Amino acid sequence: MRIEDSEQAEEAVSLAQQAEWQDITPIEQDEGEGSMCPIAYTDEYRELMGYLRAVMAVGEVSERALALTARVIEENPGHYTVWVYRKRLVEELESDIAKELDWVSEISSKFPKNYQLWHHRESLVTRLWAPSNAQSVSEDQRVTNPVLRRELQFLGAAIDEDSKNFHAWSYRQWLISTYALWTQELVFVDTMINQDVRNNSAWNQRYFAILANRDPSAVHFEADMAKSEIEYVVEHIKLAPNNDSPWSYVTGLLLRHAPSMLYTDLLPRIKQLAADNAYQAAMTLTPFYWSALLDIYEQQAADHPDTKKQLVEESRAICDQLASETDIIHCRYWNFRKTSLDTC
């Protein structure tokens, strides 16, 4: 019999029938007297939790407790208290961290959008290689470190499996910022955007990579950098004009970090694109083009009060266009935006 088969056979036997657990008296869940809506746990899960409560109550640190947490997590991966207990067990038992990462990878393949496993993975990686130690070597050396190389490969596979997995992208941001792996991140993001221009997660990651851990409120983009991003976005708008991601990215980027370039640089570029016969129909039919114009005109009016009257009139016309033709489903929102123009 294989080891895996032996382990599965043991798991199939009730804990109450296993010699290893004879010294433990399970603690049943107290749902209160006369509970109206008791949770319909399976018998297996109810038993596992009874034994888990018992070992946690006495603060047991043992291999059997560690194995028990694994079984509970496989039944209910969202049970954060069990994850906290498992983290403590791994640390105090000085478990093999590489094996623990293998186990977490297996769990994540079944439950890729579980919050707790990603946080557990963070704690494991920092134990394998403390960020303070990583600061003493170059970025090239950090990237080739076996710990980080493994994590980047794992993330590559996770994002390939689901390119919009919020948890995987969040973990990637943690890894990149914690170990300062900024140099290649824009290359990675560019690859992901080129694979799927509608991947809003990749566009969000682009903004993250450009900021590179700087305080967003303190960052003002140099003209060359902002122009480069505008050209990058325009080229990707050409691929799919009715795709919200690049529009939201560029207007948000410029509004926050180079607001005047909305009307000095972005405005002429998107108007030029809308006048191009190859893109005219797609551009004028997408609400994102008109919405961008509205944001641009509002910023321009705020910066140049002498042109405010004309810009407000043009903005009202855009709101009418959106409410009655281009984005009728959101007509109430555009009518609201129209009334708010009087106070801009």
Side-chain angles (χ1 to χ4, degrees):
M1 178 182 291
R2 295 180 305 169
I3 294 176
E4 294 85 348
D5 294 336
S6 177
E7 290 174 348
Q8 290 173 2
E10 184 175 326
E11 288 181 3
V13 177
S14 168
L15 294 182
Q17 298 175 10
Q18 295 181 27
E20 182 182 19
W21 292 98
Q22 294 306 304
D23 61 317
I24 298 294
T25 301
I27 298 176
E28 299 300 324
Q29 177 166 309
D30 182 6
E31 297 193 30
E33 188 174 347
S35 177
M36 293 181 63
C37 299
I39 300 174
Y41 297 117
T42 64
D43 290 341
E44 179 183 4
Y45 183 71
R46 192 183 302 277
E47 182 188 50
L48 290 173
M49 285 303 303
Y51 280 88
L52 183 71
R53 291 188 199 96
V55 295
M56 289 182 68
V58 297
E60 180 175 319
V61 176
S62 65
E63 291 294 339
R64 72 175 181 178
L66 184 66
L68 180 58
T69 62
R71 291 189 61 184
V72 172
I73 286 169
E74 288 179 3
E75 292 291 325
N76 181 10
H79 198 316
Y80 56 85
T81 304
V82 184
W83 283 101
V84 173
Y85 182 43
R86 185 176 181 88
K87 178 177 179 290
R88 177 193 163 198
L89 292 173
V90 168
E91 291 173 353
E92 295 193 21
L93 291 170
E94 298 183 351
S95 300
D96 186 321
I97 303 301
K99 288 184 178 179
E100 182 71 2
L101 279 170
D102 287 338
W103 176 80
V104 174
S105 297
E106 182 181 343
I107 293 296
S108 67
S109 69
K110 300 175 184 176
F111 310 104
K113 297 186 178 181
N114 168 267
Y115 282 95
Q116 288 76 25
L117 70 86
W118 294 99
H119 292 301
H120 188 65
R121 193 173 192 102
E122 287 180 15
S123 72
L124 296 173
V125 170
T126 54
R127 287 196 65 203
L128 275 177
W129 199 28
S132 57
N133 294 335
Q135 293 173 4
S136 62
V137 301
S138 69
E139 183 172 347
D140 286 344
Q141 290 174 306
R142 293 195 294 274
V143 169
T144 57
N145 178 276
V147 175
L148 302 188
R149 187 170 67 246
R150 170 183 178 142
E151 292 308 290
L152 290 170
Q153 290 172 347
F154 167 76
L155 277 168
I159 292 174
D160 279 346
E161 180 70 22
D162 181 356
S163 64
K164 298 179 182 179
N165 183 343
F166 162 81
H167 305 277
W169 283 105
S170 295
Y171 180 74
R172 187 178 183 91
Q173 290 193 1
W174 171 82
L175 190 73
I176 297 300
S177 59
T178 300
Y179 292 95
L181 308 175
W182 299 105
T183 303
Q184 295 298 315
E185 191 60 11
L186 274 177
V187 176
F188 173 79
V189 170
D190 187 48
T191 299
M192 297 306 299
I193 289 174
N194 287 333
Q195 286 180 3
D196 178 8
V197 73
R198 294 176 174 81
N199 188 344
N200 51 296
S201 297
W203 285 99
N204 178 70
Q205 188 77 358
R206 185 173 184 86
Y207 179 66
F208 164 80
I210 285 176
L211 286 187
N213 248 14
R214 295 176 292 174
D215 179 2
S217 64
V219 175
H220 182 80
F221 284 176
E222 297 296 330
D224 287 347
M225 184 175 187
K227 287 180 180 179
S228 174
E229 285 305 291
I230 289 171
E231 289 306 312
Y232 181 87
V233 166
V234 168
E235 290 304 310
H236 286 81
I237 286 174
K238 289 179 180 179
L239 299 175
N242 195 34
N243 169 27
D244 186 20
S245 296
W247 293 103
S248 296
Y249 171 78
V250 73
T251 53
L253 185 79
L254 297 178
L255 276 169
R256 191 162 198 178
H257 303 291
S260 64
M261 295 188 73
L262 280 165
Y263 47 88
T264 61
D265 291 79
L266 179 61
L267 180 61
R269 287 296 286 115
I270 62 175
K271 281 195 166 183
Q272 179 185 21
L273 194 60
D276 188 324
N277 289 334
Y279 305 102
Q280 185 177 43
M283 287 286 286
T284 55
L285 287 174
T286 178
F288 306 123
Y289 168 68
W290 297 104
S291 177
L293 289 181
L294 184 57
D295 290 334
I296 292 169
Y297 289 154
E298 282 189 314
Q299 183 64 46
Q300 191 174 8
D303 291 348
H304 300 279
D306 55 314
T307 62
K308 178 176 178 178
K309 183 177 180 180
Q310 176 188 348
L311 290 168
V312 167
E313 287 305 312
E314 290 188 44
S315 297
R316 286 198 183 102
I318 290 173
C319 288
D320 288 337
Q321 161 79 16
L322 285 160
S324 62
E325 296 182 37
T326 316
D327 194 23
I328 298 174
I329 195 170
H330 297 124
C331 63
R332 292 187 179 182
Y333 170 72
W334 298 117
N335 288 332
F336 167 77
R337 284 285 295 269
K338 183 179 178 180
T339 61
S340 70
L341 291 171
D342 295 328
T343 60
C344 76

